[in-house]
Each structure stands twice: as structure tokens, then as C-alpha cells.
């Protein structure tokens, strides 16, 4: 099993969700986050004063999948989230040692 964490632009969330559903992903978690990378921040004007917005709003999508679905999910995320502009985001893939469904006690891939 693998955990995919994708940090994407907020307006791409619906497209990413639909693309993942098309490749058979049945569940995901979404967290609103703020951060910066190469995109850096930008300056804004508020009541005549200029200030720097360092952390930009992003969305983090988290999915735990069987190994067999990982490549399709990554391709779906890239296809739906890509704008060819700086700040499109990142995808991280990590191993998951165990998953347990609290309600039934199922473990491993059956818990997904």
C-alpha cells in the first residue's frame, strides 16, 4: 500500500477528484494548506500599505491505495492538476505499513 499526498492549486480540486474517481479511487481526504516553493509569494495593497503574502493557499489531497492503483492515480492527478504554470504543485508517495478499518477491524487492503 502507498499513500499519495498531492499539493495542488485549490481551483483544480474538482477536476482532480473527478479524474481519480474515473480511475477507480473510491475515497480521499482534503486539507486546506498554505505554503510556498518556487512560486514564492506576492505583494498586495491594503489600505494604502503594501504587504507581502508569503504563504499561498493550496489544497492537499491524501489517498491510500493498493500498489496496483498508484501509477494510474498519479497520472490522473497530473493530468487534472497541470496548468503548465509555476505553482502547479507536488506529489509525494510514501509506503504505508498498515491500514485498519475502525468499524469492522479489517486490516490491510481490505480496510481501504
Amino acid at each position: 500500500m502507498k499513500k499519495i499526498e498531492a499539493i495542488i492549486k485549490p481551483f483544480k480540486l474538482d477536476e482532480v477528484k473527478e479524474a481519480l474517481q474515473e480511475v477507480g479511487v473510491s475515497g480521499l481526504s482534503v486539507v486546506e494548506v498554505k505554503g510556498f516553493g518556487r512560486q514564492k509569494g506576492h505583494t498586495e495593497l491594503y489600505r494604502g500599505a503594501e504587504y507581502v503574502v508569503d504563504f499561498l493557499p493550496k489544497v492537499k489531497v491524501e489517498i491510500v491505495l493498493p500498489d496496483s492503483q498508484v501509477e494510474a492515480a498519479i497520472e490522473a492527478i497530473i493530468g487534472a492538476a497541470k496548468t503548465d504554470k509555476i505553482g502547479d504543485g507536488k506529489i509525494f508517495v510514501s509506503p504505508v505499513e498498515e491500514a485498519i478499518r475502525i468499524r469492522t477491524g479489517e486490516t490491510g487492503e481490505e480496510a481501504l
Side-chain angles (χ1 to χ4, degrees):
M1 291 180 295
K2 298 278 193 280
K3 179 180 184 179
I4 298 174
E5 296 176 271
I7 299 172
I8 61 171
K9 292 180 175 181
F11 68 88
K12 286 293 194 172
L13 178 58
D14 285 337
E15 289 176 56
V16 168
K17 180 183 71 108
E18 289 169 13
L20 286 168
Q21 286 176 329
E22 286 175 16
V23 296
V25 173
S26 58
L28 56 87
S29 298
V30 176
V31 182
E32 291 181 8
V33 297
K34 291 185 179 206
F36 72 92
R38 289 186 182 163
Q39 192 176 8
K40 306 282 190 253
H42 61 276
T43 57
E44 289 188 5
L45 205 59
Y46 179 72
R47 292 189 176 182
E50 197 173 87
Y51 67 99
V52 177
V53 178
D54 287 330
F55 296 100
L56 300 172
K58 301 286 181 179
V59 172
K60 181 164 74 167
V61 178
E62 298 180 346
I63 318 158
V64 178
L65 298 168
D67 291 342
S68 61
Q69 286 187 296
V70 171
E71 285 304 317
I74 290 170
E75 289 174 18
I77 293 167
I78 291 171
K82 187 175 183 177
T83 66
D84 285 325
K85 293 188 171 63
I86 194 164
D88 275 353
K90 297 259 188 325
I91 298 173
F92 304 100
V93 181
S94 310
V96 173
E97 291 186 27
E98 186 63 272
I100 302 156
R101 185 184 310 269
I102 293 173
R103 179 176 54 86
T104 62
E106 293 171 292
T107 60
E109 288 186 12
E110 291 79 37
L112 302 178

